[in-house]
Amino acid sequence: FNEGWGQFESDRICRHLKQLDATRIWDATSGWFKQTESDVLSLHVYFHPIIMEESEKPVMVSECGGYSLKFEEHSYSVHSTYGYGFFDDSEALTDAIRKFYLGEVLPEFENGLNGTIYTQLSDVEDETNGFLTYDRKVLKVDADEMRKIADELWSAFRKVCK
């Protein structure tokens, strides 16, 4: 369940899903209304710095970023736009993502953060906060810079895990 949308009997459903496939990591209540059966402590972080919580489980920021860059001709709606910060070009968007990951995420590895999931891969309807446009025709970020960010994060994470 994501952010409580339709959430009900989360622990029972999570137990059932784990029986069907024990090889996966299960996040029964992504971001909100924590229960006991999730394999991770799942946080959603927008509009504020990452605040680590104590947990016996691995801590994941399961939603973050979500910065908006809209290409009207590749969008679902020309009238609506949604994101968590708005940018005018790919360079500014990529720079904001770099600053977020290297300035906010990377330092939290020392405090126990195990990973993040950026919102979202592609735009959906009025949400223009993906790496790709709604029609998947435009990559809104610089791919080479994103690889560099990923390499820096992975290198830092491996150092902490030693």
Side-chain angles (χ1 to χ4, degrees):
F1 296 98
N2 182 50
E3 297 177 345
W5 292 72
Q7 184 175 336
F8 68 100
E9 298 185 38
S10 302
D11 282 339
R12 181 187 65 76
I13 292 168
C14 191
R15 279 191 302 275
H16 176 72
L17 293 171
K18 285 180 181 183
Q19 288 174 347
L20 295 174
D21 187 349
T23 66
R24 295 179 185 265
I25 296 171
W26 290 97
D27 179 0
T29 55
S30 180
W32 296 7
F33 307 121
K34 299 174 194 94
Q35 304 292 307
T36 60
E37 293 294 323
S38 284
D39 295 324
V40 296
L41 171 60
S42 172
L43 308 173
H44 289 189
V45 177
Y46 297 105
F47 301 117
H48 61 79
I50 297 169
I51 300 167
M52 291 295 293
E53 295 182 26
E54 291 216 13
S55 176
E56 297 293 319
K57 299 176 182 184
V59 178
M60 296 286 301
V61 174
S62 55
E63 278 192 26
C64 63
Y67 302 140
S68 178
L69 171 59
K70 186 172 186 173
F71 290 83
E72 298 277 342
E73 63 278 11
H74 297 281
S75 294
Y76 173 83
S77 172
V78 295
H79 304 291
S80 298
T81 219
Y82 186 84
Y84 299 98
F86 299 89
F87 299 89
D88 294 324
D89 59 48
S90 293
E91 185 178 332
L93 174 63
T94 302
D95 188 53
I97 292 169
R98 179 187 312 103
K99 287 178 182 172
F100 171 72
Y101 272 110
L102 301 182
E104 293 186 44
V105 171
L106 188 147
E108 292 304 324
F109 292 158
E110 292 283 343
N111 297 321
L113 181 62
N114 285 270
T116 62
I117 299 170
Y118 187 87
T119 304
Q120 49 208 2
L121 178 60
S122 64
D123 294 349
V124 293
E125 285 77 38
D126 296 336
E127 295 184 17
T128 57
N129 53 8
F131 289 160
L132 295 163
T133 56
Y134 178 79
D135 59 8
R136 316 311 193 265
K137 292 186 178 181
V138 178
L139 176 62
K140 299 190 285 182
V141 295
D142 181 302
D144 290 331
E145 286 300 312
M146 296 304 293
R147 280 187 207 91
K148 289 177 188 175
I149 294 166
D151 288 345
E152 287 186 58
L153 290 169
W154 179 238
S155 177
F157 187 72
R158 285 182 28 215
K159 286 178 186 174
V160 170
C161 291
K162 285 186 176 183

